[in-house]
Structures are given as C-alpha cells and as structure tokens.
Amino acid sequence: MGDKLHRGDARPVEWIVSDRLVAYPDALEQMRARAATIAEGRAAEAVWLIEHPPLYTAGTSASESDLLAPQRFPVYEAGRGGQYTYHGPGQRVAYVMLDLRERGRDVRCFVSGLEGWLIDTLAAFNVTAERRAGRIGVWVRRPEKGFDREDKIAAIGVRVSRWVSFHGIALNVSPDLSHFGGIVPCGISDQGVTSLEDLGQIVSMPEVDMALRSAFERRFGPTAAVPHEALVSAA
C-alpha cells in the first residue's frame, strides 16, 4: 500500500503552514480553488496546515439531531463526507490536496493512508492510536475511564473530485475539549474525545507539524515547504 500512495515521479507535495487562525469560508474557497487547478494539471499537490476559530462543520451525512447547541458557534456546510465535527484553536487541521490519479486511484487505500499517517504521528509522542472498523479516524484506548472506553484523538473527512482529494484530517493537540459538547462528534455518542494535552503530552504546534511532515513523507513521499501565498497564487 505504501508504494501505491507514492507518486511515480516523486514530485514533491507543497507543504504550507499558516501561522494565524483562518476563517472557515476563506479556507474552503482557497482549498477548492487549489484542488481544481491540481485536477487541471496547473498546480502541484499541496498539504495546508491551519487552525480555525471555534466552529462546527456538517458533513454530507450529518443528522440535525446531532447538533446539540446550534447557537454556540458558527455552523458551516463542509461538503465533505461524514457528520458533525468541531474545529478550533489548539487543533491542527491539515487540508490534503493530492492527485489520486498519480497515487493508485484507490480512495479506500488513500483513507487508510491518512489514518496510518496520524497513527505514525502520534507514535512520535508515545501515544498509541488505532483504527476501528466502521469508525473513520483514529482512537485511543482509555481503560481508566471504563471498560471498553475509547476516545477519538483525530478525525478524517475527505472529498474526492476528478480524482483530486480535498478536506483532510483534524488532530487534537490542545483544544478546549468542552467545545465538542455542542455536537455528537461524528455521530458517535458512546465514546469520547481526547487530545495530546489531555493524555499528558504537552507539545507545541511546531513540534506536531514536524512529526506530521516526517510521517507524511514516509507514507506519501517528499514535500517542499512553500509560503501560504503559493497556495493562493497557484489557485
């Protein structure tokens, strides 16, 4: 599977990090525009790392009953797969715009690769995260909270159009976990959410970004750092 997810020509993926909170509508517009230019062959693939102000997003399978506090934060239609999720400061969101025509044309393999990327990243901080059948994302066992208790530490929600992916992953580094109380995260009510901070791992966002980049390169191939302006100009 690893070879399948690597480009045959080893062209680097542009690695873009924003150092400010990015409004969700702005991010959505820029991400969609960049994905379109990738599909047209006019731009390189990109991974865009950002943080959002506090907000909720609804995926295409979101149930209205899972939005418990609709007035708490702004709610946006995301256009990705999945249900409701939360984004906010202290959570590293990575929007992944890859050309799957060059990476095996296998969406299931791609999603599994994203899960593996997160698992590898968390292992760098001595956190054992796992996949779960029927539950997209990665999970951490919490036996101290009760029998069979598991908490979600990272979410995955993607869309593929013209074989180019967009949206991506959200890794809980140090968000306010009480903010998840306004939704039923990803439609799962019998498990919880956690973060690196909640698990006792106090790390900075730049440290997380370094681990994300190293793990990404092992799974998907080389990257090249570029400024945020490159995302906009290419789109």
Side-chain angles (χ1 to χ4, degrees), residues 78-116:
R80 52 157 175 80
Q83 302 183 50
Y84 281 105
T85 193
Y86 165 77
H87 294 314
Q91 181 190 71
R92 177 51 91 202
V93 173
Y95 290 128
V96 182
M97 293 157 275
L98 298 184
D99 188 346
L100 301 188
R101 294 169 296 190
E102 302 290 339
R103 299 177 183 274
R105 292 179 180 260
D106 187 333
V107 175
R108 181 173 295 183
C109 176
F110 170 61
V111 172
S112 180
L114 295 178
E115 290 174 333

Side-chain angles (χ1 to χ4, degrees), residues 2-16:
D3 290 343
K4 190 175 188 178
L5 292 173
H6 283 245
R7 289 181 64 106
D9 61 4
R11 183 181 183 185
V13 176
E14 292 189 352
W15 190 264
I16 303 165

